[in-house]
Amino acid sequence: MQAEHLVGREAELDLATEILRQEGAGAVLLLADPGIGKTAMAAEIAARLADEMVVMRVHGSPALSAVPFGVLSPYLLDLPVDQATSPVAILREFWSQFEKRRGSAGARLLLVVDDAHDLDEGSTQILAELVTAGWARLVATSRPRPGLPAALLQLWYDGLAERLELHPLEKETVTELAEKTLGGTVMASTVDVLHSVSEGNPLLLRSLLEDSKADGNLVRRNGVWFLTRALTGNGEGLAEVVRNKVLRTSEAEREAMYVIALAEPVPAAVLDSLVGRDTVRSLMDSRLVLTTNGVGSPLKMWHPMYGEALRQIVSPARSLQIRQSMVQHLLTEPATAEGLLRMVSWALDCGADVDDEQLLQAAFLAAKLLQNPLAMAAAERVRSEALRPRARAVMAMVNYNDGDYRSTIRLLEEGAGFLDADPSGPLGAGLLWAAARSAVGDSSGEIVADVRAAAEAVAGQHPADQELVNGIQRHAFALELAALAHDGRYAELREGLDAFESGLEQDQPDIVMSQLFLLAMRCELLMVEGQPVQALDKGRDALVLLDEHKDDLLYLSDFILVRYALAALESGDWAAAETALNRYAASSALGLITFGGDIQTLKGLSLLRQGRLEQAGLVLTPAVEALKVKDPQRLRRLGNALAFYAAARSGNTDLARRLGREQSAAAAGGAYVEAMAQLFMLAGKEHLDKGSALEKLRTIAGESTLHHLPGVLLQNLVLRAELGDLEAMEAIQDTASTMGGSWANGWESLASAQMGGAGDGFVNAGNLLAAAGMPGPAAVAFDRAANAFDAEGKRPEARQAAVLRDVSESNLGDALVHDPHTETDRSVPLTRREQDIVALAVSGLTDRQIAEKLMVSVRTVEGHLYRSYAKLGIRRREDLGAAVRS
C-alpha cells in the first residue's frame, strides 16, 4: 500500500532525487503532518537511488531522544565502551560501517532518517557533519512541530539542503488513489466525502477505504464504488493506526487524549488542571491535539476520525469514570453545536442521564447534519409527552432519508397525527408524510382523501379552538396543492396558490412555513410555465427566508432546494445550480452520501444542457447505482433516463440497453421530473434504434397538457433538434422567445441562425451560447458558421469560425481526438455512433456532410473517425471500406 501514499507526489520525488544526485553536499528535508506520506516518500527516494548509493537508515524515537547517540547504536556495535561518548570515535566507527557496506564499488552514502524531530542532539550533529563535509547525502523526515533539530535546520540555512513541505492530497489525487486502491470507478460524491473526512491525509484515507470496504459500507455495483452510510471510526484499520499512535505516548498523554476525545472541545484551562500544561503542550507539539480557535481556546483531537477511534477504544466503564471526574467542568449548555452533540452522545454511550429538552435539541441538530445514529438514539430517549411528537418527526426524517418510507408514515401518524406531528414545523412534517406515502405507491387521490379526513377529525375534536382548526385546514390545503404539483395539474395549482396566498396573515404562528411553501410552489409553477428567471427569483427568496429560520425547520429545506436547483437549470444559470447542490454538503459531508445520487443526477442534467456529453456520462452512470440505495428526492427515474440518453448518444450500446431495462423498476417521482425522464428516454431510444421514438417525441406535446407547457416543451424540441429534426428548430424559436434565461436564449439564437442560414447569424449564436456556458451547442453553431462562410466564398471568416469552434470544443473537457498511429486493439468494438459515422464515410460523404446530417460538429466526426481507425487497425480514410468488410 506504500505506493498509494505517493500518488500525486511525482514532482516532489523527481526534485528530491535530482537534488541528491547533484555534485557536492546535498540533503532533502521532508516536513509533513502524520499520515501525509513523508516516510513512504523517503523510502521511495531510497529505492530510486539504491543502485547508485549505499543506503543507511536511522529511526528517531521518543524513547531514545534523551540518550546520546542512541539512534546510531545499530552501527556502533564494535565501538569500545570507553569511546561511546566521543563524537570523533563515533563518527569514525559509523564511517567504518559504511565502508564495509560499500565494498570496492565506490558508491556514495545515502542517510535516510525517519522522525528526525525525535533525534538526540549528538546524533543530529554527527549526521549534519557527514552532510556538511560532503561525505553523505541525507533524506530526513520530520513533523512541522516540534520541527527539525537545529543542526539539520542549519543545513537549510546554509544552502546545503532543500526543504520540502508535503501537503494533504487534493480531491483529484484522492480520486486517483481511491480508484487505484479499489480497482474501479468511484462515484464523485463518494470521493468528496472521502476527501472531506480524511482531510486529504493518505494514511487516514487508506484506513477509511479498507474499513468501509470490510464492513460493507463501501459497495461496488456495475463497476461503480459508492458509500451507503456515514463513515465511522470503529474499523480495525483506523483503530490499529490510532493504537500505534497511542502506544508511543506517555501514560499522562494517553489519559489526556481519552479526556479530549470523549469531551471535546475541552477548555485548555480544564485540561491543564487535570493532566498538566507540559502534557498538553507535548500533545500539541506531536500534532495529536489542536486548539479550536487559536491560543487558549478549547482543545480537540487532531482529526475527528482519531477522536472517534479513541472513543471506541475506551471501555464504557472507563468512559463513565472520566465523565464523573469531568462533571463539574462540563457546561450545562454547551457553547457550540459540536459541543452539544458530543456531550449528549457521550452521555448516551455511558448511560448518563440527559434532560429531554437537550435530547431533542441534539436529535434535531444531528438529523440536520445527517448524523443519523445519534439523531435516532437521542430522539428515542425523549420521554416528555409534549416533546414526543417533535422527536417522532426527527425519527421520521431519518427513516425517510434512509429509504424506510413505511416507518416514516407510521411515526408521523402516531399521536396527534401527521397534520400536527411536529408542533414547531407541522407543514414540513405533513409534506414528509405525503412524500413517503407517494414513495410506497399511494396515489395523490388517496393521499388527499386521507388529508381531508384527518383535517375533519381534528376539527371535530377541537371545535372551540378556532386557531388550531384554521391552522390544520391551512396545512391540509397546502398538502392538496403539493399533490396537484405532483400530478402535473399546474393550471389548478396556480388557482390554488392564489387562494392560499390570499388567506395568509402575518400574525399566523406558522407564517414562515407557509411563506416558504408558497415560494417553493411558485418556483416550480413558474419554471414549468416557461418563466425560469422569475422562478429562480422565487427560489432565491425562499432560500434567503430559509437561512433566517433554518434552525427551526426540518424537511422544508430539502423541499425548497431541489426546486431551486431545477429552476436554475431551466434558466441556464449553471453556477446557481452548482451552489444550490453544494448546500447539501455545506454543513456535513454526510449529505453527499444521503443525497449523492440526486445531486449527481442534477449535475448530469446541467452537463447535458451545456453539451458536455462525455462528462455527463461519467457523472450519471455512477449516480444511477447510488439512487438504487438512497433517493430522498425521488429522482431515480430521471437519473436513469439521463444516463441512458448519454450512453445511447455516445454509442455505448450495452450500457444503454441495460439502463433501458432498469427504467421500469424505478419508482415514479413528480410529474415534471417524470416528464423530463420520458423525453430523455425517448431521445435515447431514437439514438439507439433509429426511427423508433422520434415520431413519439413529435406528437407527445399534443397528447399531454404538461408536455405542452414551455418548461417541458423546450426540452423536447432541443432533443429533437439534436437528433437532426430541422422542424424542431422553427418551434424552438417560437417557444424559447417567450421564456428568458440563458439556456432558452441560446437555443433561440441558434434556431434563428438555422432559419436564416447566414454565417454571421451562426457566429452570433455561437458567441451567445459560449458566453452562456454551453460549449457543445456553441461548437455546433461555429461549425455551421464555417460551413456557411465557406459556401459564400468567405475564406477568412470561415477560418475564424473554425478557430472559434475548436476553442469551444476544447472547453468541453471531453477527449475527442485519438492518435490513429497508436497500437491497435481489435478486441474493442466500434460504438454505435462510430458505426454510423464510419458507414456514412464509406458511403462517400465528407466530414462536413456527416456533421450536418448528424447535427454534430466536424471536430466530433473527426474524433470518432480517428478512434475508429485505431480500432480497425488502419491509418487513412481510404482503407475504411476494406476494414469494415473484413
Side-chain angles (χ1 to χ4, degrees), residues 318-338:
R318 181 67 183 122
S319 177
L320 181 58
Q321 186 181 29
I322 292 174
R323 183 179 178 85
Q324 289 170 342
S325 69
M326 287 281 294
V327 68
Q328 61 182 338
H329 302 295
L330 296 177
L331 297 174
T332 305
E333 296 290 340
T336 65
E338 178 187 16

Side-chain angles (χ1 to χ4, degrees), residues 538-554:
K538 293 294 183 184
R540 191 174 290 112
D541 290 343
L543 288 180
V544 170
L545 186 59
L546 178 68
D547 286 340
E548 294 174 1
H549 300 274
K550 61 184 177 182
D551 292 339
D552 302 322
L553 303 170
L554 275 178

Side-chain angles (χ1 to χ4, degrees), residues 672-687:
Y672 171 76
V673 168
E674 290 304 299
M676 299 297 285
Q678 185 178 10
L679 293 176
F680 277 98
M681 285 299 297
L682 288 171
K685 287 177 182 176
E686 183 65 24
H687 280 290

Side-chain angles (χ1 to χ4, degrees), residues 475-499:
H475 302 155
F477 187 27
L479 296 185
E480 291 185 40
L481 295 178
L484 290 176
H486 185 272
D487 287 350
R489 295 156 62 184
Y490 287 103
E492 297 172 65
L493 176 64
R494 173 171 284 282
E495 294 179 5
L497 289 177
D498 290 341

Side-chain angles (χ1 to χ4, degrees), residues 27 97 122 208 390 393:
Q97 292 293 326
L208 291 172
R390 177 84 155 154

